[in-house]
DNA sequence: CGTGAGATTGACTATATTCAACCCTAGTGG
DNA sequence: CCACTAGGGTTGAATATAGTCAATCTCACG
């Protein structure tokens, strides 16, 4: 996947213009952000921010996938968030973060220096409101994930994960139709779902064997049986309710 | 536990005056809230709000403990939040909620009708900011809980739960010194920790047998070995870092 | 004093983990 | 061009942890 070069791109041409923190801004407000923004790029695997590190900038994710993760002293790690394009990194009123932020794929961020951005938030209600919405969306997502982590079986976790990917990935027109990218290693998926990588692998195989999904290669799959997938998530006991 | 009667109490006498959504309000702003508020009480076990139900009011929790929970179709349930005094119920811009809200103990809420409250939020930055802080605090708590649900052992979950109770419960002066109330049944604790009630019971017994905690009765305990408790949470591998 | 909800404990089981071997496949260098 | 390598992925066998089912206990309350 080639990463588009963004230097010099105006906000109006930005792919996340209508979903990111700037979504509700009018032309005037957008102008202010335009003057503040800088782009940063990261290679897959790079750490974007370390837990506890002072936060120099906040940012919107433009391209790629990033993850938030927490680690216990003995090395067990749990992903606590998955950032897709238009998601926001950083938060008003906090100077450090409680988790590591890592580039899962190659990533491009649209960055703002923290202090001036906060000043702008204070007198731009459109930005403040959108920030609140984004935080509440994250909270909803976190709570759904708590249900998954606490109560779902390995099979249901995998099915839910696939289902979420399908819903959230605005499939690029460039991609093969029906082929959905799996932008993480088995190990990363395991850390997201609270499983081991072996269990992740086994459950993918099981879903494939059952004819629910199929892999074109290890990082692209298709849904064969949408109904079966929904059922496997554990969210619907009644098949009639699905879809 | 007798529930104090609050009708007619002014905001300045309110026990959560400096922590709730009104924390940053000046006297003028407080006056507006004062005119809008009504108190509601619930018995332990009452459902305060059902998932999906249109949200008539928002509220601050004044006394008691309430819980947010999600349930799968087949009945498995997971608590996704625990509300203690000063926590807020409801959110700007949403007319319904994604989880059930239940009174865990007897509860008193300070309620505001949703529409007028939202209007007030829009031109009271002190309230809007505090609401944002509360949302971000909840997000942090949710993420810590994801680490617990996804990666901790039953023993670590129980130890972490106790540790959280100790930190969050502003122990009432009326209580026996050192006796910490356990304001939930084993079943509710299990739903919070992603365990079964039997496992919760066994792990409490194990911690007691190890001399870490002791029960005065089933709903009051004390910490015997603080160091041991911290170690059992899994958060510190190095005992020297604790405390 | 009897009742019933909640809690504890035990025996057995199931699910996911651990440990380990082996398999792809893309990238590298001879 | 092919062989080698290394990182990621798959699969199998044994194990451990928490879940299930069930009996018993405790205690607050009528």
């Amino acid at each position: 996947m080639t990463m588009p070069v963004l230097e010099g791109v105006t906000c109006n041409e930005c792919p996340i213009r209508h979903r990111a923190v700037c979504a509700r801004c009018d032309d005037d407000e957008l102008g202010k952000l335009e003057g503040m923004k800088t782009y940063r790029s990261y290679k897959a695997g790079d750490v974007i921010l370390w837990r506890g590190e002072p936060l120099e900038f906040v940012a919107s994710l433009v391209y790629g996938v990033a993850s938030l993760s927490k680690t216990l002293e003995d090395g067990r790690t749990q992903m606590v968030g998955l950032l897709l394009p238009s998601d926001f990194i950083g938060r008003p009123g906090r100077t450090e973060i409680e988790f590591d932020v890592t580039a899962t794929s190659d990533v491009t961020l649209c960055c703002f220096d923290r202090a001036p951005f906060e000043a702008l938030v204070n007198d731009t209600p459109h930005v403040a409101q959108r920030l609140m919405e984004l935080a509440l969306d994250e909270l909803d997502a976190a709570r759904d994930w708590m249900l998954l982590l606490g109560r779902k079986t390995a099979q249901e976790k995998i099915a839910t994960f696939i289902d979420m990917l399908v819903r959230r990935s605005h499939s690029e027109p460039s991609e093969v139709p029906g082929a959905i990218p799996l932008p993480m290693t088995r190990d990363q998926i395991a850390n997201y779902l609270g499983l081991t990588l072996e269990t992740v692998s086994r459950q993918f195989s099981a879903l494939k064997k059952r004819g629910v999904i199929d892999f074109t290669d290890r990082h692209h799959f298709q849904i064969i049986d949408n109904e079966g997938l929904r059922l496997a998530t554990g969210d619907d006991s009644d098949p009639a309710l699905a879809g």
Side-chain angles (χ1 to χ4, degrees), chain A:
Chain A
M1 179 172 66
T2 12
M3 184 83 50
V5 173
L6 286 183
E7 298 304 333
V9 165
T10 69
C11 288
N12 279 317
E13 298 160 340
C14 176
I16 57 170
R17 165 71 179 94
H18 298 289
R19 291 182 287 141
V21 71
C22 50
R24 299 172 164 215
C25 289
D26 55 34
D27 288 345
D28 186 46
E29 293 161 340
L30 208 57
K32 292 183 194 164
L33 287 171
E34 187 105 49
M36 292 169 63
K37 80 181 188 201
T38 53
Y39 291 107
R40 284 176 215 233
S41 291
Y42 299 84
K43 288 268 151 209
D46 287 357
V47 174
I48 298 172
L49 294 166
W50 289 105
R51 169 183 181 175
E53 185 180 70
L55 204 57
E56 305 289 347
F57 61 88
V58 298
S60 286
L61 180 63
V62 185
Y63 289 108
V65 180
S67 66
L68 316 181
S69 59
K70 286 177 168 267
T71 304
L72 294 171
E73 293 286 336
D74 66 2
R76 285 173 285 174
T77 86
Q78 175 65 50
M79 243 181 236
V80 296
L82 192 66
L83 301 181
L84 298 184
S86 83
D87 284 336
F88 189 76
I89 298 172
R91 39 183 65 185
R94 307 280 176 106
T95 58
E96 55 179 67
I97 49 174
E98 305 258 293
F99 37 74
D100 301 324
V101 183
T102 310
T104 299
S105 65
D106 289 352
V107 155
T108 300
L109 300 183
C110 171
C111 302
F112 308 96
D113 287 336
R114 199 174 55 79
F117 183 83
E118 287 198 14
L120 181 130
V121 169
N122 283 332
D123 44 44
T124 312
H126 283 164
V127 175
Q129 284 167 16
R130 182 69 187 138
L131 221 38
M132 183 70 165
E133 280 177 8
L134 289 170
L136 292 177
D137 287 345
E138 279 192 85
L139 195 50
D140 284 341
R143 285 175 168 152
D144 283 336
W145 223 245
M146 287 170 71
L147 175 62
L148 175 144
L149 291 172
R151 290 302 184 198
K152 289 193 177 181
T153 64
Q155 179 84 205
E156 290 168 339
K157 286 177 175 182
I158 294 289
T160 305
F161 173 69
I162 293 173
D163 193 52
M164 179 216 66
L165 272 189
V166 174
R167 293 168 188 276
R168 286 194 66 184
S169 76
H170 304 232
S171 54
E172 304 288 324
S174 64
E175 306 286 345
V176 179
I180 296 150
L182 196 54
M184 307 156 79
T185 65
R186 299 293 185 268
D187 188 52
Q188 291 169 330
I189 296 170
N191 284 339
Y192 196 24
L193 298 176
L195 296 171
T196 58
L197 68 90
E198 293 95 331
T199 300
V200 169
S201 185
R202 278 186 242 277
Q203 297 302 335
F204 272 131
S205 299
L207 283 178
K208 184 181 165 182
K209 204 162 290 173
R210 283 175 44 191
V212 174
I213 59 170
D214 197 18
F215 283 89
T216 58
D217 66 63
R218 281 205 177 88
H219 292 282
H220 292 269
F221 65 93
Q222 316 181 238
I223 311 297
I224 307 295
D225 176 6
N226 220 305
E227 197 63 24
L229 181 66
R230 297 300 317 285
L231 275 177
T233 64
D235 292 326
D236 296 304
S237 66
D238 182 352
L241 295 174

